[in-house]
Amino acid sequence: MKHFPMIEWIITGYSARQDENGYFFYEGRDDDVINSSGYRIGPMEVENALMEHGSIKECAVVGSPHEKRGEIVKAFIVLKDGKNGSDALIKELQHFTKHLTAPYKYPRKIEFVTDLPRTVTGKLSRRILKNQEYGRGQNIS
């Protein structure tokens, strides 16, 4: 599979990939793409996989610093009403994600939160979460 950090005719700061059949897939903004042990992981693919689990109301995925891998996948998860976060649910979500995506894309860290940061227009703000992971911002909960 080819990766295109910047395709000549798309100069927006977005990343895409092309499969063996020539189809293009949006991976996210270049600054959102997670680089873990040399793999480029689009956060939206992991988020879409997690959203298929019946316990999740919404989620966001960012890179979290890691000494050996550079970054690891971290998921911030808002659970549906009546659901509670636990170590058992974390393991279940990791296993669930491994079966819907490539095994290296599963979230190695999961944090349950009550809500996710949004821009004034209501769009998810991964930048705030990533800044938090890198110690450049405030915690959310």
Side-chain angles (χ1 to χ4, degrees):
M1 229 175 273
K2 298 178 188 175
H3 280 77
F4 298 91
M6 185 165 49
I7 300 169
E8 288 179 27
W9 41 271
I10 300 178
I11 310 172
T12 61
Y14 290 91
S15 181
R17 65 180 167 82
Q18 184 179 24
D19 71 8
E20 57 278 352
N21 297 318
Y23 291 99
F24 287 93
F25 295 89
Y26 170 72
E27 288 193 327
R29 291 197 48 81
D30 277 342
D31 55 352
D32 288 342
V33 174
I34 301 159
N35 190 349
S36 184
S37 296
Y39 292 104
R40 291 174 51 84
I41 303 167
M44 287 185 65
E45 182 180 359
V46 180
E47 290 167 358
N48 290 338
L50 284 166
M51 288 303 296
E52 298 219 11
H53 192 277
S55 298
I56 297 178
K57 179 178 178 182
E58 62 180 343
C59 65
V61 170
V62 299
S64 181
H66 188 270
E67 187 176 303
K68 294 181 181 175
R69 297 175 186 270
E71 288 184 312
I72 57 172
V73 176
K74 179 170 182 182
F76 291 87
I77 295 176
V78 178
L79 295 171
K80 289 182 178 176
D81 291 339
K83 303 291 182 180
N84 295 310
S86 66
D87 289 340
L89 182 56
I90 287 172
K91 296 277 186 216
E92 181 181 330
L93 293 170
Q94 290 172 328
H95 183 75
F96 182 82
T97 308
K98 282 181 191 179
H99 289 286
L100 292 177
T101 65
Y104 64 87
K105 295 180 181 181
Y106 82 95
R108 294 175 186 273
K109 288 168 96 176
I110 293 177
E111 182 176 333
F112 297 108
V113 295
T114 55
D115 61 358
L116 296 172
R118 305 233 175 244
T119 65
V120 292
T121 60
K123 184 177 175 186
L124 176 65
S125 181
R126 285 188 196 93
R127 179 176 292 143
I128 291 171
L129 297 171
K130 190 162 187 172
N131 284 344
Q132 174 184 315
E133 285 304 294
Y134 280 84
R136 300 183 297 236
Q138 299 175 354
N139 287 345
I140 62 146
S141 291

